[in-house]
Amino acid sequence: MSVGFTAERRELARSVRGFVSRHVPMTAVRRLMEEPRGFDPEVWRQMAEQLSLPGIAVPEIYGGAGCGYAELTVVFEELGRGLVPSPFFSTVALALPALLASEDKDALREYAPQLARGSKIATLAWVEDDGGWAGGSRTGARKTNNGWRLDGHKSYVLDALSADVILVTAETPNGRSLFAVAADALGLDRRRSPGFDQTRQLGRIELLDAPARLVGKEGAGGQILSAALDRAAVLLAAEMVGAADACLDMSVGYAKVREQFGRPIGSFQAIKHKCAEVLVELEGARAAAYYAAWAADNNPNELPTVACIAKATAAEAFFRAAAENVQIHGGIGATWEHAAHLFLKRAKTSYILLGDPSYHRLRLADRIGL
């Protein structure tokens, strides 16, 4: 069993971190926050062509590298460390796992190679206005002589305006099912939703007699969604671990140079305790995320339980790291010019995304029969 970093994974982390520092520094993050699409297409192209990141965990028969979630976790940790605005999470953590879980070979042959090489962007739309992360049931699908048609809406859709393909859950006579809707489909309307975290784009989609393609078997959408969201929770946990680590680095770095009463504030016991407690929570979250990634690759039966643990643990560790970072920086940490508030906003939204810690602990209790 290999949990955590091997020599190859360390090299992957080094490559991704170097790429992020060169192409997506914090100045670029701030610039992209103001742009409608929220990311740089050229950086996305380089992530795909130079580093082959979108296809890391895609099987080779569908144009990917055939690696696992252990490697993908390394990538998400580094992207989280830099708060990189990109459709990487929506495409790689949401859409691709849903496609793979569907076991629909025709759909995989059509979509997976394009997503793996970064020529197409995809996302998953399953949440409705009530914000329930288990998914809504008010979007309906009906079969006609010309194929499937969808009516309804979805909210909190990541990268809704940038996606070329949107995977949508909808109710059929045989139960919840998964459908693929093209971005240019008639009857599809996409609008940007304002979000607390400007580094992650959200949108709302309206479907009015929109043509769609069934992905997987009719009625299998619930199982597909559950499997995909477990894997997404693992990758979100890794992203939060990377961002929390960046917050701790910022806190320690500032505590070493900021002086009060003629000495660095890092010498004060209160500041030491803050940093030490953040480190303890961070390392626990990292261990949980990497073990969950190992389970995704080697023990899928265990994944539903450990994914809940990883998401809950990482969400709490990241939020604490981000909040303490603001506190340690004092007044400057609350200013627009400092990056601390960007991490705090990401921490709060990631805390909620896919379900907050209470939601995942309830899911864990249900899954282990408590």
Side-chain angles (χ1 to χ4, degrees), residues 149-184:
R149 299 280 174 164
L150 304 186
D151 292 282
H153 65 267
K154 298 293 181 182
S155 301
Y156 314 112
V157 182
L158 271 68
D159 299 302
L161 273 65
S162 304
D164 301 295
V165 179
I166 303 176
L167 299 178
V168 182
T169 58
E171 304 299 319
T172 72
N174 290 316
R176 183 172 296 179
S177 304
L178 185 68
F179 297 88
V181 179
D184 59 356

Side-chain angles (χ1 to χ4, degrees), residues 66-370:
C67 297
Y69 269 61
E71 288 73 29
L72 199 51
T73 295
V74 171
V75 176
F76 272 93
E77 185 172 350
E78 293 304 323
L79 296 180
R81 186 187 306 278
L83 291 186
V84 177
S86 84
F88 196 79
F89 188 88
S90 56
T91 301
V92 178
L94 292 174
L96 275 168
L99 280 172
L100 291 166
S102 75
E103 298 182 347
D104 186 328
K105 293 183 179 178
D106 290 337
L108 282 164
R109 280 192 290 265
E110 179 176 351
Y111 298 119
Q114 299 177 78
L115 302 182
R117 63 174 177 262
S119 60
K120 296 288 185 182
I121 294 167
T123 190
L124 179 64
W126 78 100
V127 183
E128 295 181 359
D129 286 346
D130 62 359
W133 295 105
S137 59
R138 295 185 179 180
T139 301
R142 52 192 171 80
K143 197 170 185 178
T144 69
N145 293 333
N146 296 321
W148 289 93
R149 299 280 174 164
L150 304 186
D151 292 282
H153 65 267
K154 298 293 181 182
S155 301
Y156 314 112
V157 182
L158 271 68
D159 299 302
L161 273 65
S162 304
D164 301 295
V165 179
I166 303 176
L167 299 178
V168 182
T169 58
E171 304 299 319
T172 72
N174 290 316
R176 183 172 296 179
S177 304
L178 185 68
F179 297 88
V181 179
D184 59 356
L186 294 176
L188 171 65
D189 180 60
R190 302 184 289 176
R191 299 179 183 180
R192 182 175 179 178
S193 300
F196 184 59
D197 174 17
Q198 299 100 317
T199 66
R200 186 142 21 218
Q201 297 297 310
L202 295 174
R204 174 185 170 92
I205 66 170
E206 297 278 354
L207 300 151
L208 180 61
D209 196 35
R213 170 187 177 157
L214 179 65
V215 177
K217 296 179 180 179
E218 184 182 351
Q223 293 89 337
I224 294 170
L225 181 64
S226 180
L229 293 184
D230 283 341
R231 292 176 178 270
V234 175
L235 298 176
L236 181 57
E239 182 185 278
M240 289 190 287
V241 164
D245 202 13
C247 289
L248 181 58
D249 286 347
M250 291 168 62
S251 297
V252 172
Y254 185 74
K256 289 180 177 179
V257 298
R258 176 70 169 95
E259 292 190 357
Q260 196 101 30
F261 307 112
R263 51 192 276 200
I265 63 172
S267 65
F268 299 142
Q269 192 174 51
I271 302 297
K272 291 180 181 179
H273 284 178
K274 285 181 181 291
C275 293
E277 288 165 359
V278 167
L279 177 62
V280 169
E281 286 198 34
L282 170 60
E283 289 306 314
R286 178 177 281 118
Y290 274 83
Y291 184 81
W294 174 87
D297 291 331
N298 299 281
N299 191 5
N301 291 332
E302 192 179 13
L303 179 61
T305 57
V306 296
C308 292
I309 296 171
K311 171 58 170 74
T313 305
E316 291 175 338
F318 181 20
F319 186 75
R320 179 164 190 172
E324 296 289 19
N325 186 38
V326 173
Q327 290 290 321
I328 290 171
H329 278 81
I332 193 174
T335 62
W336 177 260
E337 291 75 17
H338 201 278
H341 76 95
L342 300 179
F343 282 89
L344 184 61
K345 290 174 179 177
R346 174 67 72 87
K348 187 59 178 178
T349 55
S350 295
Y351 190 94
I352 299 169
L353 183 61
L354 307 184
D356 64 15
S358 296
Y359 171 83
H360 281 278
R361 290 193 174 99
L362 286 171
R363 291 186 79 199
L364 174 62
D366 181 63
R367 286 174 170 181
I368 64 178
L370 292 180

Side-chain angles (χ1 to χ4, degrees), residues 25-44:
M26 200 54 61
T27 52
V29 172
R30 289 180 177 274
R31 174 177 56 81
L32 293 170
M33 285 164 45
E34 305 298 327
E35 296 189 3
R37 75 176 72 196
F39 73 100
D40 187 338
E42 178 61 21
V43 170
W44 172 251

